[in-house]
Amino acid sequence: MNKNIFAVAIAALGFVIGLGFLGNAIKNRNKSENTISVTGLGTKQFTSDLITWSGSFSKNNVDLKSAYDELAMDRKVINDYLLSKGIQQKEIVFSSVDIQKQFRSYNDSNGNYVQGEFSGYNLTQKVSIESKEVGKIENLSRNITEIINRGIEFTSSSPAYFYTKLATVKQEMIASATKDAKERAEKIAENSGSSLGNLKKATMGVIQITAPNSNEDYSYGGTFNTSSKEKEASITIKLEYEVN
């Protein structure tokens, strides 16, 4: 009899403890659900303060030394031209010379590709400039035909634009996005007759840099436009608050 009473008491105690755990679980679940999640946006427009530009030139000759000597002459003409336009010597970088053998190729009567006899060497070299004088390098890239008019086979690339104070811009956007998200959360809480509690979680998105008013797509890893001098950056901040 005593054993039965003891067993019933143990079972009752276990039931009470179980109810306590269940009550806490329900309470915690309701507490976790009683939150607001909002996303804020921070944007900033700015002008690039660093530009890079490059071009390549080449020479063809059956004799390798002659081809190299001719390329060296073109290199000096290009270097002197850039200096005459106010470019500093330390900003001008010439790459190593790329040498390719050329062959006369043709298709035989059966349509098969045939590599014929050696026809000479093709030597190519690249010149590149990095400068904070954005306007000067822009004008240079647009008027590079002056080099071509001197008999040099020159191919110019489009300039690329960068911004050296991006870390400061990012901090400003994070602050703006955080403020925007908090104001949204406060408005939602106010409309529902509640008030914001503690901040539970904050998640920052990746920075997206595009040309202003463009239709460039955002990417998961972040977009970084280099073709436009004028840029627009954006970032999102997701905040999760408790609600009182």
Side-chain angles (χ1 to χ4, degrees):
M1 177 68 68
N2 291 335
K3 290 183 179 179
N4 291 335
I5 294 174
F6 182 73
V8 170
I10 293 296
L13 179 61
F15 180 72
V16 172
I17 294 174
L19 286 177
F21 280 124
L22 179 61
N24 285 332
I26 294 174
K27 181 179 179 181
N28 291 333
R29 185 195 66 185
N30 290 337
K31 184 178 180 181
S32 65
E33 290 178 350
N34 198 25
T35 60
I36 292 177
S37 294
V38 289
T39 299
L41 176 65
T43 62
K44 181 80 172 180
Q45 290 193 356
F46 53 93
T47 302
S48 302
D49 62 358
L50 182 69
I51 186 172
T52 63
W53 169 82
S54 65
S56 60
F57 53 102
S58 60
K59 278 295 181 182
N60 295 276
N61 201 302
V62 176
D63 181 69
L64 180 58
K65 184 179 183 307
S66 297
Y68 191 86
D69 290 343
E70 292 170 358
L71 191 74
M73 292 175 61
D74 284 354
R75 181 169 61 246
K76 185 179 186 311
V77 171
I78 293 170
N79 191 77
D80 291 345
Y81 171 80
L82 296 177
L83 293 176
S84 72
K85 294 300 181 180
I87 309 301
Q88 300 181 44
Q89 186 65 66
K90 65 181 180 180
E91 296 175 330
I92 305 171
V93 178
F94 287 94
S95 69
S96 58
V97 179
D98 178 67
I99 303 175
Q100 297 288 335
K101 288 184 176 181
Q102 303 294 311
F103 297 88
R104 292 190 179 89
S105 303
Y106 61 93
N107 293 324
D108 62 18
S109 58
N110 295 321
N112 298 317
Y113 174 82
V114 178
Q115 180 174 287
E117 62 182 12
F118 172 73
S119 60
Y121 294 94
N122 178 264
L123 275 60
T124 303
Q125 193 166 23
K126 180 180 178 181
V127 59
S128 58
I129 296 173
E130 179 178 288
S131 175
K132 290 188 175 182
E133 296 184 272
V134 178
K136 179 186 291 186
I137 306 304
E138 275 187 320
N139 291 332
L140 175 68
S141 67
R142 293 177 184 140
N143 299 304
I144 206 65
T145 51
E146 293 181 25
I147 290 181
I148 299 175
N149 291 337
R150 300 186 185 193
I152 297 176
E153 187 178 339
F154 192 89
T155 302
S156 175
S157 301
S158 298
Y161 300 90
F162 303 90
Y163 191 62
T164 60
K165 303 180 183 68
L166 197 56
T168 301
V169 170
K170 189 173 182 179
Q171 291 175 0
E172 293 175 356
M173 289 192 302
I174 291 174
S176 177
T178 302
K179 180 182 178 182
D180 181 45
K182 185 177 181 181
E183 290 176 350
R184 290 170 184 264
E186 289 173 339
K187 194 65 177 178
I188 293 173
E190 179 185 340
N191 291 340
S192 62
S194 305
S195 61
L196 288 186
N198 295 327
L199 176 65
K200 295 184 60 179
K201 186 178 180 182
T203 305
M204 182 175 68
V206 296
I207 188 170
Q208 309 282 352
I209 301 178
T210 62
N213 305 314
S214 70
N215 59 355
E216 294 177 70
D217 293 329
Y218 286 177
S219 70
Y220 181 79
T223 301
F224 194 95
N225 175 286
T226 60
S227 61
S228 174
K229 180 169 66 175
E230 302 299 327
K231 300 184 188 299
E232 181 176 72
S234 64
I235 198 167
T236 58
I237 296 288
K238 182 177 181 181
L239 302 181
E240 184 177 330
Y241 285 96
E242 292 179 353
V243 179
N244 298 324

